[in-house]
Amino acid sequence: MDGVLVIDKPLGPTSFDVVRQVRGLLKVKKAGHTGTLDPMATGVLPVCLGEATKVAGIITEGDKAYDAVVRLGVETDTQDAQGKPTAEAPVPPLTAPLLEAVLARFRGTFEQVPPMYSAVKVAGKRLYELARAGEEVERASRTVTVHELVLRDFSADRLTLSVRCTKGFYVRTLAYDLGRALGCGAHLEALRRTMSGPFTLARALPLGDLASLSREAVAARLVSLADSLTDLPAVRVNAEEARRVSHGVPVEVAPVPGRVRVLGPDDALLAMAEVVGGRLRYLRVFN
């Protein structure tokens, strides 16, 4: 069983718990997720099966989209609802113009400092390990891009947002930073991922439904390797060139910047490559 199964992750389990459950139910040896979701988060979690595990790292690079609820007036040590409150402050009167002015600061490309409760490594240790030990260390900021940040609704102490962003962006930290910008503090109360790369909720299978499906029904829902990499430009080759690709022999193609997916005459994924000097340089060949 090779391909990507898009799971609608429920509230509670970790991403690893979901992969473990999928592996057990489908009796597959190789499975892995692409982009961790916190236990409190729900939504799109692509799970790579079989040969698709070879492209998991590429799939992870895709943009993400989320719907989020931000609770104003309370900060927590984890920057989300699972943490312990660390500070409280009154929320100022909110208006749409005020909120739009603040949100404007978090659109585009800027630097973001990852939270202490994260898997980022500092001096060989995960930040969450240090945080659980009561330590707080200086973290280097990361360049992130928010393509879209939309205010969907707001009340006296809550904001509902939609975010589309690059890999590595922390919505928890966005909530924290918004609270600081408004002068009252905040934390992330709820999060639902609606998109991860080419995968959306429309094609996601609720985890609870997996056990009731036959192996054939699950196989029919799998996204092929070629369709999993639609964010990459496609280079198509003929039957003779496809034979050469399968043996790792360079093939001359038109120049294309960055990584590409190499497709055969039947649109099957043959390889991932870069075009260097008008020839394919293979990063991964699939047999």
Side-chain angles (χ1 to χ4, degrees):
M1 189 173 282
D2 301 313
V4 178
L5 182 63
V6 187
I7 294 293
D8 185 350
K9 178 192 168 299
L11 187 71
T14 67
S15 299
F16 294 106
D17 292 334
V18 173
V19 171
R20 192 179 303 115
Q21 188 170 338
V22 170
R23 185 187 292 121
L25 288 171
L26 300 182
K27 303 295 190 293
V28 294
K29 292 183 179 179
K30 294 193 294 183
H33 65 77
T34 64
T36 303
L37 276 178
D38 292 336
M40 68 158 282
T42 67
V44 174
L45 183 68
V47 178
C48 294
L49 305 176
E51 285 291 293
T53 56
K54 296 177 180 178
V55 300
I58 302 298
I59 295 173
T60 304
E61 297 291 327
D63 288 346
K64 312 290 189 293
Y66 302 90
D67 288 338
V69 178
V70 177
R71 167 74 159 85
L72 302 175
V74 180
E75 291 185 347
T76 70
D77 57 357
T78 59
Q79 300 182 350
D80 63 23
Q82 293 194 316
K84 298 177 181 177
T86 56
E88 295 189 30
V91 181
L94 302 179
T95 64
L98 169 65
L99 293 173
E100 288 294 345
V102 172
L103 291 174
R105 307 181 199 177
F106 301 97
R107 297 185 180 112
T109 299
F110 55 92
E111 296 294 307
Q112 185 187 62
V113 177
M116 276 301 301
Y117 280 88
S118 66
V120 175
K121 282 189 175 182
V122 173
K125 289 192 174 183
R126 302 284 186 186
L127 283 175
Y128 65 76
E129 295 174 338
L130 298 173
R132 288 170 182 168
E135 298 181 45
E136 180 160 356
V137 298
E138 187 173 342
R139 287 98 70 197
S141 63
R142 294 177 160 192
T143 302
V144 295
T145 299
V146 173
H147 302 294
E148 188 175 25
L149 177 56
V150 178
L151 177 64
R152 297 295 183 190
D153 198 7
F154 67 95
S155 64
D157 60 358
R158 282 175 174 80
L159 310 178
T160 302
L161 308 171
S162 291
V163 187
R164 185 168 62 85
C165 54
T166 52
K167 170 196 172 186
F169 181 79
Y170 285 94
V171 184
R172 282 185 286 141
T173 300
L174 171 65
Y176 173 87
D177 290 340
L178 283 172
R180 286 296 174 100
L182 288 167
C184 59
H187 66 271
L188 183 65
E189 187 171 69
L191 184 68
R192 183 159 177 75
R193 186 156 67 191
T194 58
M195 182 196 81
S196 179
F199 308 106
T200 64
L201 279 174
R203 65 201 312 178
L205 173 69
L207 181 62
D209 293 353
L210 183 60
S212 63
L213 296 182
S214 67
R215 192 174 181 84
E216 292 73 22
V218 173
R221 295 190 68 108
L222 290 182
V223 181
S224 70
L225 270 68
D227 290 340
S228 300
L229 298 172
T230 52
D231 286 349
L232 298 181
V235 171
R236 287 180 166 79
V237 297
N238 60 36
E240 173 57 27
E241 291 169 332
R243 186 189 64 78
R244 294 173 63 190
V245 170
S246 67
H247 290 91
V249 179
V251 171
E252 292 187 2
V253 296
V256 179
R259 293 172 173 171
V260 300
R261 53 194 170 111
V262 184
L263 305 180
D266 57 356
D267 282 342
L269 180 66
L270 303 177
M272 288 193 309
E274 294 176 334
V275 181
V276 179
R279 294 160 68 89
L280 291 174
R281 183 173 71 185
Y282 302 111
L283 303 173
R284 173 81 68 173
V285 175
F286 303 96
N287 296 316

